Amino acid sequence: DLTKPSNWFPSATLPTQETSKVGFYTISIPKLKIDRAIVAIGGEDLSKNLVQYPGTALPGKNGNAVIFGHSILPIFYNPKNYMAIFSTLPTLKEGDKIFVEYDGVSYNYVVEELFEIYPTDIQILEQNPADSFLTLVTCTPPGDPRNPKRLIVRARVSA
């Protein structure tokens, strides 16, 4: 069941994440017309919000905040529908901006790379304490569940 983030990387086990007094935050990606989409810290329901993978860094902290979102065929893209919200993620380019509002603080991230992996490639969940990273994850190709890979968009916080 790929509607549950815990099934996207079945062999992954991560330590318990830093405790957060905040259960939700928002993400905006102007190029994709995504404006203040809700991200749940943990959870399983990708139809109601994006989900940050448990055990990954909180936004603005050193490490890697990993966010999962659904994609469907791009012709059905709707930035307000969580079942379609990441459908146009492949159109992002190096240098595009992503904005996160977490606990009253704004963080600006800049896209550094896009690449595809298999569901067994769990290294994208690893934490890198050198800086604050944001990793967006969705299935690719959108709308085709027969042999899905994962599209990875990696961004780094900018000063």
Side-chain angles (χ1 to χ4, degrees):
D1 180 5
L2 293 179
T3 62
K4 295 182 176 186
S6 60
N7 292 332
W8 285 26
F9 293 96
S11 61
T13 55
L14 290 171
T16 304
Q17 73 184 33
E18 176 183 343
T19 305
S20 172
K21 60 184 180 271
V22 176
F24 297 89
Y25 58 93
T26 64
I27 185 171
S28 297
I29 308 173
K31 182 176 181 179
L32 305 183
K33 297 182 175 40
I34 295 172
D35 184 34
R36 300 181 49 81
I38 296 169
V39 180
I41 299 174
E44 287 285 338
D45 194 347
L46 287 169
S47 69
K48 294 185 177 154
N49 46 248
L50 299 167
V51 173
Q52 179 174 328
Y53 199 81
T56 63
L58 297 172
K61 303 286 186 185
N62 281 7
N64 181 25
V66 180
I67 299 173
F68 290 80
H70 266 301
S71 58
I72 59 175
L73 290 172
I75 60 169
F76 300 114
Y77 174 64
N78 177 345
K80 298 194 181 309
N81 178 344
Y82 288 102
M83 294 303 288
I85 194 162
F86 277 178
S87 297
T88 59
L89 213 57
T91 66
L92 288 177
K93 304 277 186 239
E94 185 178 322
D96 285 340
K97 308 279 189 222
I98 301 172
F99 303 100
V100 172
E101 292 277 334
Y102 172 78
D103 197 18
V105 180
S106 298
Y107 298 98
N108 301 329
Y109 289 86
V110 177
V111 173
E112 290 188 336
E113 60 181 334
L114 284 82
F115 55 95
E116 293 181 4
I117 62 170
Y118 289 99
T120 54
D121 298 334
I122 60 172
Q123 72 277 7
I124 65 101
L125 302 172
E126 291 175 356
Q127 298 301 297
N128 180 346
D131 210 340
S132 177
F133 295 92
L134 182 68
T135 300
L136 307 180
V137 182
T138 196
C139 291
T140 192
D144 187 353
R146 291 173 296 172
N147 189 21
K149 292 183 182 176
R150 307 289 177 254
L151 173 68
I152 307 302
V153 175
R154 180 75 42 89
R156 183 189 305 246
V157 76
S158 66

